[in-house]
Amino acid sequence: MPETLIKVDLKQSPYENEQIHNRWHPDIPMACWVKPGDDFKLETYDWTGGFIKNDESADDVRDIDLTIVHFLSGPVGVEGAEPGDLLVVDLLDIGAKEDSLWGFNGFFSKNNGGGFLTDHFPQAQKSIWDISGLYTHSRHVPGVKFPGLIHPGLIGCLPDPKLLETWNTREMDFIATDPDRVPPLAAPPCAKTAHAGKATGDVKTKIAAEGARTVPPREHGGNCDIKDLSRGSKIFFPVYVKGAGLSVGDLHFSQGDGEITFCGAIEMAGWVHMKVSLIKGGMAKYGIKNPIFKPSPITPNYNDYLIFEGISVDEAGKQYYLDVHIAYRQACLNAINYMTKFGYTPAQAYSILGTAPVQGHISGVVDIPNACATLWLPTQIFDFDINPSAAGPVKSVTTDVPMPLSPDVI
Ligand code: ZN
């Protein structure tokens, strides 16, 4: 039996758990230590530490203070790990916590985080997804059921002081280019809500003041939200500090490429069973700057898709130069519009793109002036035929439980 080195009590605030932290900083004390070759389990909160509830109101999504995220389990120290090594992490298995077999997906208000399609969905909404073994379905989004491609949205090692300074400097400089933007350009350090694990006194104060927020993916990996980094994957992480300091959290039962809904995929509390080993000096040997990984041998076996194209011309008809972000947005909007013809509300269709194992591809980036992105919608997740036909779309979806929506309070 692998030992559970970090335990999480969902009834307890994550701030009271010393093996949890929500910032990146080299001085965060190791929560526990393992040896190369060890396998062990870590339990995790959902990324909000239990703030989002399984209920019929989106007020929690609207009102959440996003400076509290992400609550991570760790850092796990690995004996013998030194800067320049590669930490090899086998994700042996991942699951939902037995006392919490559900997850959430939502859209943040444009005034509190926003999301990929925030101009189209500016108000807070959420959907709750029940987890039943391999499968998930939602009372708020009928007509779909799919197996989970379970993965950690966030996993990585602690930065060293130089890398931390690089992150903070470049992101603060970026924010300074448009400091009043809504949503903001980046997330600066925020001492008030920092959780520095076991740290106390001056060290805790220093971590709170300087600790990098966990929102963006960075050179160490971090919040990459890669749906294919699923159980069974093997990841090779750059090591920057003695002991590596591996942390993990933000578990997703399932997610579409891009995690476009931002709050987020199907977010859940759970556990990760992993094994660690080292490649000494591996960063230089393999020329590694960002993590690399091998995919899982197990993936949902979809072989039929409806594929939506998008080009780098925005909703107003403005031309952009080979802009993949605009092109993917158009592909997503095209898919949402199509799904509404079968009875979905636009919000339900958006939720499906955020939660189901939808693929996003950069299809063309050289044919000036338009980039082409494609969104692959697996047709087999639907319990009706979603393909186009000469007969036209059949309204197949009726909703008994409306998707919770909470307008902003003015
Ligand atoms: Zn997430």
Side-chain angles (χ1 to χ4, degrees):
M1 273 279 281
E3 196 182 344
T4 300
L5 298 180
I6 297 182
K7 291 200 170 120
V8 152
D9 175 359
L10 298 180
K11 293 193 269 316
Q12 182 190 39
S13 162
Y15 284 102
E16 291 165 15
N17 188 326
E18 291 192 338
Q19 291 182 301
I20 303 292
H21 65 101
N22 66 359
R23 298 290 187 266
W24 292 114
H25 194 287
D27 296 343
I28 297 172
M30 298 299 175
C32 52
W33 283 88
V34 297
K35 293 189 182 64
D38 284 355
D39 73 304
F40 53 90
K41 276 186 170 180
L42 306 178
E43 292 182 348
T44 70
Y45 285 90
D46 82 77
W47 73 303
T48 70
F51 193 85
I52 307 298
K53 305 295 182 208
N54 183 348
D55 62 19
E56 303 307 319
S57 165
D59 290 0
D60 44 14
V61 173
R62 180 191 63 197
D63 299 337
I64 186 171
D65 174 359
L66 281 174
T67 68
I68 65 171
V69 300
H70 299 67
F71 291 105
L72 306 178
S73 298
V76 177
V78 181
E79 288 179 18
E82 294 170 300
D85 294 347
L86 287 178
L87 179 67
V88 186
V89 178
D90 283 284
L91 297 177
L92 298 176
D93 203 0
I94 307 173
K97 260 180 80 76
E98 281 295 323
D99 54 344
S100 184
L101 295 177
W102 62 278
F104 63 87
N105 175 266
F107 327 146
F108 290 121
S109 154
K110 187 175 178 180
N111 293 316
N112 186 29
F116 189 58
L117 302 180
T118 196
D119 289 332
H120 300 269
F121 299 90
Q123 298 181 327
Q125 284 194 261
K126 79 176 178 190
S127 54
I128 300 298
W129 296 76
D130 291 322
I131 295 168
S132 173
L134 269 182
Y135 293 95
T136 187
H137 66 279
S138 171
R139 62 183 179 269
H140 298 125
V141 186
V144 284
K145 178 184 167 191
F146 43 87
L149 189 54
I150 308 177
H151 59 276
L154 202 162
I155 183 168
C157 295
L158 294 180
D160 61 22
K162 188 161 161 266
L163 186 58
L164 176 66
E165 198 192 323
T166 300
W167 293 350
N168 280 338
T169 303
R170 77 183 177 203
E171 289 173 28
M172 293 302 287
D173 287 353
F174 188 49
I175 289 169
T177 63
D178 188 359
D180 301 321
R181 187 178 187 273
V182 179
L185 285 173
C190 175
K192 184 170 56 97
T193 48
H195 181 16
K198 287 182 184 174
T200 55
D202 291 349
V203 176
K204 184 177 177 178
T205 307
K206 185 168 190 272
I207 293 167
E210 301 172 350
R213 299 279 296 285
T214 56
V215 178
R218 298 188 181 94
E219 288 85 342
H220 68 149
N223 194 25
C224 289
D225 292 315
I226 303 168
K227 79 176 193 320
D228 304 291
L229 198 71
S230 58
R231 59 190 176 137
S233 297
K234 182 193 280 288
I235 322 168
F236 301 82
F237 287 107
V239 172
Y240 307 98
V241 301
K242 214 167 157 27
L246 177 73
S247 295
V248 63
D250 185 22
L251 300 188
H252 297 161
F253 188 79
S254 178
Q255 180 207 294
D257 279 341
E259 204 197 19
I260 60 171
T261 40
F262 188 28
C263 176
I266 295 176
E267 304 290 335
M268 66 176 196
W271 52 267
V272 184
H273 178 193
M274 59 173 90
K275 181 177 168 185
V276 293
S277 55
L278 292 170
I279 298 178
K280 298 302 290 178
M283 282 178 75
K285 279 181 191 162
Y286 288 101
I288 301 288
K289 183 176 129 194
N290 298 66
I292 57 176
F293 73 97
K294 302 275 297 173
S296 171
I298 299 169
T299 54
N301 188 22
Y302 293 117
N303 54 22
D304 187 58
Y305 291 85
L306 200 53
I307 300 173
F308 296 86
E309 301 181 6
I311 57 170
S312 51
V313 175
D314 76 8
E315 295 88 317
K318 185 175 173 198
Q319 179 73 60
Y320 289 80
Y321 181 73
L322 300 177
D323 188 321
V324 175
H325 188 265
I326 302 275
Y328 193 50
R329 191 168 82 219
Q330 302 316 309
C332 292
L333 290 169
N334 289 342
I336 288 170
N337 190 39
Y338 180 91
M339 282 190 273
T340 61
K341 309 302 179 196
F342 294 81
Y344 285 116
T345 65
Q348 288 173 323
Y350 187 22
S351 291
I352 290 170
L353 300 189
T355 57
V358 164
Q359 294 185 35
H361 292 248
I362 298 170
S363 300
V365 287
V366 292
D367 300 312
I368 57 169
N370 284 335
C372 177
T374 47
L375 181 133
W376 299 42
L377 183 66
T379 56
Q380 291 141 316
I381 66 172
F382 297 93
D383 63 15
F384 57 91
D385 184 359
I386 196 151
N387 290 296
S389 70
V394 177
K395 268 217 184 331
S396 306
V397 181
T398 49
T399 308
D400 299 328
V401 186
M403 202 170 134
L405 178 149
S406 291
D408 286 4
V409 182
I410 310 292

